[in-house]
Amino acid sequence: MSDPTTLKDVYLDNNATTMVDPAVVEVMLPYFTEQYGNPSSIHSFGNQVGRSLKKARQQVQALLGVEHDSEIIFTSCGTESDSTAILSALKAQPERKEIITTVVEHPAVLSLCDYLEKDGYTVHKLKVDSKGRLDLDEYARILTERADHIAVVSVMWANNETGTIFPVEEMATMAADAEVMFHTDAVQAVGKIPMDLKNTDIDMLSLSGHKLHAPKGVGVLYLRRGTRYRPLLRGGHQERGRRAGTENMASIIALGKACELAAEKMAYENTEVKAMRDRLQEGILASVSHCFPTGDVENRLPNTCNIAFEYIEGEAILMLLNKAGIAASSGSACTSGSLEPSHVMMAMGIPYTAAHGTIRFSLSCYNTMDEMERVIEAVPSIVAQLRKLSPYWGEDGPIEDPEKLFAPTYA
Amino acid sequence: MWDYSDTVKEHFFNPKNARAMDDADAIGDVGSIQCGDALRLTLKVNAESEVIEDAAFQTFGCGSAIASSSVLTEMIKGKTLDEALKVTNQDIASELDGLPPEKMHCSVMGREALQAAVANYRGEVWKDDHEEGALICKCFAVDAVMIEDTVRANNLRTVEDVTNYTKAGGGCSACHEGIEEILTRVLAETGEAFNARASRQKLHASKEKPPVPGKGMSNLERIKRIERVIEMVRPQLQRDRGDVTLVDVDGDTVFINLVGACSGCQMASLTISGIQQQMMEDLGEFVRVVPVPANHAATTGVTA
């Protein structure tokens, strides 16, 4: 912590989760106390809540550019939306046993696909190049060759670690031409990229409330009218029987409001927030040697930059950043307790000298340019401090032949 | 973020002996930049007495890797090489007031660097016999390679077997799916299918076994048998830096004392039920094993 009496901590981990907007908190509060009715009830308690539910649905509809409000299904989170979409596609088309996705998806999709593979499904994972971009020729080839066997294509709209944006609208059209369902995990993209789903070929889309200043525990599955669908949760008639379970009303109201605010702030996100992000990256690259941004920097979310620092390890960087009052995240193996660094960095083939030292800074509209300057000031000494400890770093640069100079005898 | 102890944080934020040592008598390098952690331990050794006069480190790695390196240099300074070699990874972790299970390998790396440095000083080649796999059991920090090797070496068949041999799965049980996957894979190598029911039947059988009283056994013979079971389990506990002693026997109640790493360990109850099971099988009668402090006099509590 920096001195809490003078400076607020700088929160640059908005791709992990965001602060609930105070205006959002305000609209949700009555639904805990006064408006506690069940929207399915006939009496006035329920009736009023039912009307609010309809309004929230329309607010989400507006942000996504959806044709009918009945295409919005409220869920508990982005992961539930992803699972529902993919499992629905398999269940509705039992003769189709193959899925196309990418190697850089969020675990919400990848872990599910790995599990389905064990159950006998075939998963085609599209590879990425060194900038994290997909090869659409590879995609077209698999679509053509396996069209009758593919149940669903699931590709994220934007990558959570690098912010790299994928051409999902184009890919959805290609899938539609092959008569294959298309789902996109748009958890990181909603609220940052303008969307007009009614004019795309996207059949299903997942979003998560807590990534856009609504609370945790609420999400949405967009389901285009006419898309064949099998619910994950069956039971009551909530969400037109497509997602049973009493509605999480306070959070749904909150998500509606957050979507309304996100639409209003879309321009700010793509100008002011982007300017802060650009300044942060440029400032760090100018003052620290042996570091570089990862992903497709020309084509990424306006709020995200991911910088790889060579010869040091991410968790150690985060701990020192945290001590300086700066919150960010890392793709290093040690932060997750796994043996491998982030699958996204591995997929892009980031050099091993840097793969463990990647740091993601993700901004929101609540950050300020002053905060960026504070981070730019703090980072160089943190990096220097850890490089001083590193056996791969000499006086003022990496040792010349790290493989030879640092040579465990057993290796 | 990890729940690091204050000692870990202190050693990370203010590492001791972090520097390159140009005139080192011994160098121990372990890890690699590909793996995400690498440690160089350098020692100044008195040629006469083999006392470590100075120790320094350079580490590429996470907070706990740096803290483990730092505390290790402090622990071994002033020790002879032979004394230093007795430092275990558990000692390193304890000196740091504990490490999260996912991070225990950082302490292992510290110990390996020490072994490598001593081997380097003595002109020997140190062999790394330790391969690390993905962490399966987070309660007891058991990785996939360890489970696979143990399953192969001992022809294990069930999750329960794996827990008995490696501790994996003995805590929260969330990793049982992962253990079943390993069993399925390893058993498939010899064309055998994993059978989840075998495990359950065995569990039920042991619970439903009617107690058979140990007929015709003298008190002396009975206590000797109880002692023998205790002696049998001790080496296993001692490997984990724990121990067990027999305190007293009163009727069907056997009072034991767990010490060291065993006391307060999440596994204590499992250890006790394991001992109890072995005693019942050996004696052919029902006994209850109760852990007590070492100075506990059984008879004062249970009469009346």
Side-chain angles (χ1 to χ4, degrees), chain A residues 115 118 309-320 322-323 332-341 352-354 356-357 385-393 399 402-411, chain B residues 1-2 4 8-9 12-15 18-19 28-40 57-64 66 102-103 105-106 112 116 120 125-128 132-135 138 177 181:
Chain A
Y115 176 73
K118 288 179 200 156
F309 298 94
E310 288 190 280
Y311 306 104
I312 50 177
E313 198 278 332
E315 187 207 284
I317 303 173
L318 290 186
M319 287 176 73
L320 290 172
N322 186 53
K323 202 175 172 219
S332 89
C334 288
T335 43
S336 61
S338 61
L339 293 173
E340 301 267 303
Y352 64 84
T353 51
H356 293 276
Q385 183 180 340
L386 289 172
R387 281 184 177 160
K388 213 172 152 223
L389 287 178
S390 172
Y392 298 107
W393 194 261
I399 56 175
E403 294 292 340
K404 205 178 274 172
L405 258 167
F406 185 85
T409 48
Y410 62 86
Chain B
M1 191 71 86
W2 304 104
Y4 284 137
V8 172
K9 286 185 206 155
F12 170 70
F13 289 125
N14 301 300
R19 61 176 194 279
D29 285 352
V30 290
S32 77
I33 199 164
Q34 287 95 331
C35 297
D37 37 27
L39 160 57
R40 165 171 291 176
F57 78 92
Q58 288 173 285
T59 293
F60 163 85
C62 60
S64 54
I66 289 169
E102 289 89 342
K103 298 289 190 171
H105 74 97
C106 294
E112 290 178 346
N120 173 260
V125 177
W126 176 71
K127 280 288 294 169
D128 173 34
E132 216 176 345
L135 189 65
K138 292 191 178 179
E177 182 183 356
E181 275 171 24

Side-chain angles (χ1 to χ4, degrees), chain A residues 89-90 93-101 120-124 142 145-153 180:
Chain A
L90 297 176
Q93 312 162 91
E95 70 288 358
R96 295 177 177 238
K97 304 269 186 208
E98 297 179 24
I99 299 168
I100 299 179
T101 185
Y121 292 90
T122 301
V123 180
H124 305 274
I142 300 172
E145 283 170 11
R146 307 299 301 167
D148 298 340
H149 304 275
I150 307 287
V152 64
V153 178
V180 170

Side-chain angles (χ1 to χ4, degrees), chain A residues 361-411:
Chain A
F361 301 99
S362 49
L363 285 62
S364 81
C365 58
Y366 298 103
N367 290 117
T368 65
M369 204 52 114
D370 282 351
E371 291 179 332
M372 299 309 115
E373 298 305 330
R374 270 173 63 198
V375 178
I376 292 166
E377 205 182 305
V379 166
S381 63
I382 288 173
V383 172
Q385 183 180 340
L386 289 172
R387 281 184 177 160
K388 213 172 152 223
L389 287 178
S390 172
Y392 298 107
W393 194 261
E395 280 297 307
D396 47 11
I399 56 175
E400 262 180 28
D401 188 351
E403 294 292 340
K404 205 178 274 172
L405 258 167
F406 185 85
T409 48
Y410 62 86

Side-chain angles (χ1 to χ4, degrees), chain A residues 35-146:
Chain A
Q35 304 283 338
Y36 52 81
N38 187 324
S40 303
S41 303
I42 296 296
H43 48 65
S44 61
F45 290 86
N47 213 343
Q48 283 179 27
V49 177
R51 276 198 295 275
S52 311
L53 177 59
K54 189 168 173 60
K55 184 184 169 198
R57 205 181 298 283
Q58 287 165 346
Q59 286 166 315
V60 180
Q61 178 192 7
L63 179 66
L64 300 181
V66 166
E67 194 164 4
H68 312 283
D69 67 353
S70 60
E71 292 172 322
I72 302 298
I73 302 172
F74 288 109
T75 65
S76 69
C77 59
T79 299
E80 185 195 321
S81 302
D82 288 337
S83 268
T84 305
I86 292 170
L87 294 172
S88 161
L90 297 176
K91 197 87 181 164
Q93 312 162 91
E95 70 288 358
R96 295 177 177 238
K97 304 269 186 208
E98 297 179 24
I99 299 168
I100 299 179
T101 185
T102 77
V103 290
V104 294
E105 292 301 305
H106 189 272
V109 169
L110 271 189
S111 298
L112 175 66
C113 286
D114 290 346
Y115 176 73
L116 289 168
E117 259 184 334
K118 288 179 200 156
D119 262 2
Y121 292 90
T122 301
V123 180
H124 305 274
K125 290 181 188 161
L126 302 173
K127 292 185 279 297
V128 295
D129 67 8
S130 62
K131 286 190 162 181
R133 294 171 300 199
L134 294 171
D135 176 0
L136 290 194
D137 291 338
E138 183 195 8
Y139 174 55
R141 199 177 58 245
I142 300 172
L143 262 186
T144 317
E145 283 170 11
R146 307 299 301 167

